[in-house]
Amino acid sequence: MEKRSMDKLGIAPSLLGFGCMRFPVTADGGVDEPEAERMLDRAIAAGVNYIDTAYAYHGGESERVVGRVMKKYDRKSYYLATKLPCWKVETKEDVEKLFREQLEKLQTDYIDFYLMHALDGKGFRRMVELGCIPILEEMKASGRIRYLGFSFHDNYEAFEEILTYRDWDFCQIQLNYMDADSQAGMKGYRLAEERQVPLVIMEPVKGGTLAAFAGDIMEKFRTLDPEASAASYALRWVGSLPNVKVILSGMSTMEQVEDNLMTFSPFRPLSEKETNTIDEIVALINSRVQNGCTGCGYCMPCPAGVDIPGNFRVWNTYHMYQNYNMVKGRWENGLGDEKQAKNCVKCGKCEAICPQKLAVRSDLEKVQTDLDKKEFVF
């Protein structure tokens, strides 16, 4: 198993981290604990030593499952990561209260990697104003937290604000070859590298999106290696960046565990040919965007109740990845009958104020037609 040195911290976690957000589930929606334990045991036996969970995962059950499974292992043999649910913090005293609850659920007396969870600029400023960071720093000084960091979801400007606020031990960002210019992105990667802040990466396979493609893209991957999975290239793209020290994979099946272990044992950075092929795939996927909606929301609210940016987001994503299953939840449940394009009454109000001058009414017709056909299902 590939290990990456975090020189700043003097440790070397496994490059593959086991993300405990997508444990296998039972028919009633609970965690399938025996199977989750089997998967964790297999990963640990292969050298994975970074276990990542959070207060909110699996409705609060993930930490409990991790605590029960990991108690059979020597506590010094692995690195445990969990996260402070910042949205539940109303006073600085809540930080201590929540932390104690997490220690109890995880059956441990310290956390190796403790993150302020899902920070954006506004949320971070609120935590600063509440006086939460000195509390976390005191926990670190006492040894109950070994390394203090944050996970991030916002734009680059917010990332720069947070990263430069203090000397963080590490941070966690979303990064993959389709999101190199989104959120912190590669610009944020370079800032962290410049400041010598080790990076933990989440969503390297974009929630599974980069694991399954239509035939034309899969054929491009097969020409490189007919035995390698599409997901392995997404993981290797991220792992080819030297300041990436841990890549989290939220594994749901033993098959995914085995495929990931094959990718990281040993790990091979992408070759020039593989990098060029992925660049071609990114260009191909982006060329399938149906319109230039930026999601600015100037067209909202729609008098007929249509979520215009939401419809276009689903439509563009559907065509980019040619995978109905990827947008099924957002289309059928997130938008549902009330907010879908079919409710457009063609009043034209949206087109009069759209900064991109989109043909909103005719495009909404195409959205409904395309999504009703469900052409791309595999």
Side-chain angles (χ1 to χ4, degrees):
M1 171 58 57
E2 175 86 2
K3 290 185 169 60
R4 288 273 172 93
S5 176
M6 290 185 173
D7 294 340
K8 179 177 184 177
L9 308 181
I11 60 173
S14 55
L15 182 56
L16 173 62
F18 200 117
C20 302
M21 183 175 72
R22 297 187 175 99
F23 276 146
V25 296
T26 59
D28 63 3
V31 175
D32 183 345
E33 190 167 335
E35 183 63 8
E37 181 170 9
R38 195 168 76 92
M39 291 162 56
L40 278 164
D41 287 345
R42 174 69 182 100
I44 291 167
V48 173
N49 66 8
Y50 190 101
I51 311 299
D52 173 88
T53 184
Y55 187 93
Y57 293 172
H58 285 285
E61 284 303 303
S62 178
E63 287 180 326
R64 291 189 176 91
V65 171
V66 170
R68 287 191 288 265
V69 172
M70 297 306 295
K71 67 182 180 181
K72 66 188 176 188
Y73 291 100
D74 180 350
R75 183 63 184 84
K76 295 179 181 178
S77 68
Y78 64 92
Y79 299 105
L80 179 61
T82 194
K83 307 170 187 76
L84 172 69
C86 298
W87 58 91
K88 292 183 71 70
V89 176
E90 297 180 0
T91 68
K92 64 181 181 181
E93 287 73 25
D94 289 336
V95 175
E96 175 70 29
K97 177 182 175 184
L98 289 162
F99 186 75
R100 286 181 179 276
E101 181 184 348
Q102 291 177 285
L103 290 180
E104 182 178 347
K105 287 173 16 179
L106 288 162
Q107 302 187 42
T108 186
D109 56 5
Y110 70 94
I111 305 298
D112 297 287
F113 290 81
Y114 198 62
L115 301 86
M116 300 174 72
H117 196 182
L119 284 184
D120 56 17
K122 181 179 179 181
F124 177 68
R125 288 186 288 272
R126 188 179 75 87
M127 296 294 284
V128 170
E129 290 168 4
L130 287 173
C132 297
I133 292 179
I135 302 296
L136 293 167
E137 290 172 335
E138 289 171 11
M139 291 177 177
K140 182 186 172 185
S142 69
R144 292 188 297 161
I145 294 171
R146 297 293 170 86
Y147 313 113
L148 179 61
F150 64 93
S151 67
F152 177 80
H153 292 286
D154 201 348
N155 57 32
Y156 171 79
E157 288 71 26
F159 180 72
E160 183 176 6
E161 175 188 352
I162 298 170
L163 192 73
T164 58
Y165 179 82
R166 65 182 300 277
D167 183 19
W168 299 96
D169 294 318
F170 72 105
C171 70
Q172 181 173 311
I173 63 171
Q174 175 177 317
L175 189 63
N176 57 70
Y177 61 72
M178 287 305 301
D179 292 330
D181 297 319
S182 301
Q183 297 195 24
M186 283 302 299
K187 192 174 179 181
Y189 168 85
R190 288 187 287 270
L191 179 65
E193 187 173 48
E194 175 188 317
R195 294 182 64 85
Q196 299 183 321
V197 178
L199 283 175
V200 176
I201 301 300
M202 58 184 158
E203 301 297 350
V205 193
K206 198 174 171 65
T209 302
L210 307 183
F213 293 97
D216 57 343
I217 291 177
M218 288 306 300
E219 186 58 33
K220 288 181 179 291
F221 284 123
R222 290 190 192 103
T223 60
L224 295 171
D225 181 347
E227 302 300 322
S229 66
S232 70
Y233 288 99
L235 293 165
R236 289 176 59 211
W237 184 89
V238 176
S240 297
L241 300 168
N243 193 43
V244 169
K245 305 303 183 180
V246 177
I247 303 171
L248 297 176
S249 178
M251 294 169 263
S252 301
T253 67
M254 185 62 81
E255 181 183 16
Q256 292 170 357
V257 173
E258 295 293 353
D259 187 58
N260 286 344
L261 293 177
M262 189 178 302
T263 300
F264 288 89
S265 306
F267 178 81
R268 292 182 296 113
L270 291 177
S271 67
E272 182 178 357
K273 180 180 179 181
E274 290 170 329
T275 300
N276 290 339
T277 299
I278 288 177
D279 289 344
E280 292 172 8
I281 288 170
V282 171
L284 175 58
I285 292 172
N286 285 329
S287 74
R288 292 171 173 169
V289 171
Q290 298 296 293
N291 74 7
C293 177
T294 64
C296 69
Y298 279 84
C299 57
M300 297 295 286
C302 165
V306 177
D307 180 350
I308 298 170
N311 275 264
F312 288 154
R313 190 177 304 114
V314 167
W315 187 43
N316 282 324
T317 302
Y318 171 63
H319 278 277
M320 288 171 70
Y321 297 98
Q322 298 192 348
N323 185 349
Y324 179 74
N325 289 328
M326 182 183 169
V327 299
K328 176 180 171 69
R330 280 182 287 169
W331 176 249
E332 297 180 9
N333 302 316
L335 292 172
D337 285 342
E338 293 183 359
K339 297 180 181 179
Q340 286 181 3
K342 63 187 175 185
N343 296 299
C344 172
V345 296
K346 302 189 185 312
C347 67
K349 177 184 175 184
C350 49
E351 292 184 10
I353 55 178
C354 175
Q356 309 302 320
K357 306 301 180 187
L358 300 178
V360 178
R361 289 172 288 184
S362 62
D363 278 357
L364 285 173
E365 283 188 28
K366 295 173 185 175
V367 170
Q368 195 71 45
T369 299
D370 287 354
L371 272 297
D372 283 346
K373 282 194 301 186
K374 301 180 179 61
E375 179 182 359
F376 302 122
V377 178
F378 58 88

